[in-house]
Amino acid sequence: MREINAETIIEAVSGICIEANLKLSEEMEGCIKKAAESEKNPLGQKIIGQLIENMNIAEEDKIPICQDTGMAVFFVRVGQDVHINGSLTDAINEGVRRGYTEGYLRKSVVSDPLERINTGDNTPAIIHYDIVLGDKLEITITPKGFGSENMSKLYMLKPADGVEGIKNAVISTVKEAGPNACPPFVVGVGIGGDFELAAELSKKALTREPGSHNIKPYYADLERELLDSINSLGIGPAGLGGSTTALAVNIETYPTHIAGMPVAVNMCCHVDRHKTVIL
């Protein structure tokens, strides 16, 4: 049994809270730069150029790449041979508190949906746990801003709706989002499970790097087809027209009930922030 001290987790979480908000992954940066080369619309080219300039300024000046530094969402894989010296949930929340306070990141969490009183430190986080084999602790943060989150959708389709129903759900969600979700998008799609798991899968899909594909060829082909369809809508960067409406479509799936086909579409702007630490 391997032991990990809570303070080690707090420091690691604090660090990735800050890092994720200041710099995109190399894959995301490369995807945006590639889009600048392929976009033909002059206004679209200009917008992507501004996104790249903003990205560079954020890295050089150590400031958030987006003013909405998001609600802290975590996917945590806990090795069953790991013992945490303290509360794992408390350690993650303390890491968020320190990271968002010491990193001067915007605190966007309110303690009650109706009373709307800001907690002042961006806690509590949303944490999804998965118990796995091994003696490692893997913590992934994906800070989620709500400009795009608010445009996400969950559909409880019937099995008879088939793949066309899935396509229609994704495309209609993107169309309705339009400029409100700050395109170009990364679109996370969760298919299967039940009501709540489909939504979790769609959020988890956003932690995959652009250019990666579902391990099942059928879904990998569907990712490519949906990306082409979305980019033919003409919404474009900032919703001002062009061929770069989305940078990636990522699909995650899970077995489901014979009577249902849940589909969740989680919209994310080009600032698809995520960072992983393994302890």
Side-chain angles (χ1 to χ4, degrees), residues 23-30 55 209-210 272-274:
K23 179 175 169 53
L24 298 183
S25 68
E26 291 183 6
E27 290 83 358
M28 280 306 307
E29 288 187 358
M55 186 168 63
E209 297 297 351
D272 184 9
R273 297 164 291 191
H274 47 272

Side-chain angles (χ1 to χ4, degrees), residues 46-61:
K46 183 176 181 180
I47 296 298
I48 296 176
Q50 291 174 340
L51 298 181
I52 294 172
E53 181 182 6
N54 175 72
M55 186 168 63
N56 293 335
I57 291 172
E59 182 177 359
E60 292 169 6
D61 293 353

Side-chain angles (χ1 to χ4, degrees), residues 14-89:
S14 175
I16 62 174
C17 283
I18 296 172
E19 292 172 33
N21 276 293
L22 302 192
K23 179 175 169 53
L24 298 183
S25 68
E26 291 183 6
E27 290 83 358
M28 280 306 307
E29 288 187 358
C31 187
I32 295 170
K33 290 175 181 177
K34 184 178 180 181
E37 298 172 0
S38 62
E39 177 60 62
K40 303 304 181 185
N41 182 294
L43 185 54
Q45 287 180 340
K46 183 176 181 180
I47 296 298
I48 296 176
Q50 291 174 340
L51 298 181
I52 294 172
E53 181 182 6
N54 175 72
M55 186 168 63
N56 293 335
I57 291 172
E59 182 177 359
E60 292 169 6
D61 293 353
K62 300 294 186 292
I63 56 176
I65 196 167
C66 176
Q67 84 282 356
D68 184 352
T69 52
M71 194 166 189
V73 180
F74 290 88
F75 291 92
V76 183
R77 289 165 55 87
V78 185
Q80 62 186 21
D81 295 324
V82 170
H83 175 259
I84 309 300
N85 184 12
S87 166
L88 178 53
T89 298

Side-chain angles (χ1 to χ4, degrees), residues 55-225:
M55 186 168 63
N56 293 335
I57 291 172
E59 182 177 359
E60 292 169 6
D61 293 353
K62 300 294 186 292
I63 56 176
I65 196 167
C66 176
Q67 84 282 356
D68 184 352
T69 52
M71 194 166 189
V73 180
F74 290 88
F75 291 92
V76 183
R77 289 165 55 87
V78 185
Q80 62 186 21
D81 295 324
V82 170
H83 175 259
I84 309 300
N85 184 12
S87 166
L88 178 53
T89 298
D90 289 349
I92 291 173
N93 277 309
E94 176 60 18
V96 171
R97 186 192 69 78
R98 290 189 194 179
Y100 273 76
T101 300
E102 296 171 7
Y104 300 100
L105 305 175
R106 195 180 86 181
K107 289 80 173 176
S108 302
V109 176
V110 295
S111 60
D112 182 89
L114 291 180
E115 291 180 341
R116 314 302 294 181
I117 299 172
N118 199 297
T119 63
D121 56 13
N122 222 56
T123 67
I126 295 172
I127 310 171
H128 303 285
Y129 289 111
D130 190 14
I131 307 299
V132 299
L133 294 173
D135 63 354
K136 298 289 191 298
L137 178 63
E138 180 180 301
I139 304 173
T140 298
I141 184 174
T142 174
K144 194 61 173 20
F146 266 55
S148 57
E149 188 77 353
N150 284 340
M151 303 309 297
S152 302
K153 299 286 184 182
L154 175 65
Y155 301 84
M156 299 304 291
L157 302 182
K158 300 178 180 65
D161 292 325
V163 69
E164 291 304 317
I166 295 171
K167 293 177 187 177
N168 290 337
V170 175
I171 298 301
S172 65
T173 301
V174 172
K175 282 182 178 179
E176 185 175 342
N180 295 322
C182 301
F185 310 121
V186 176
V187 183
V189 182
I191 305 172
D194 60 359
F195 182 87
E196 77 274 8
L197 183 57
E200 182 181 337
L201 289 170
S202 69
K203 180 65 64 63
K204 187 176 182 180
L206 297 177
T207 67
R208 275 179 33 204
E209 297 297 351
S212 66
H213 288 287
N214 191 289
I215 60 173
K216 294 182 179 179
Y218 181 83
Y219 288 110
D221 290 342
L222 183 57
E223 288 173 336
R224 296 184 184 97
E225 181 182 347

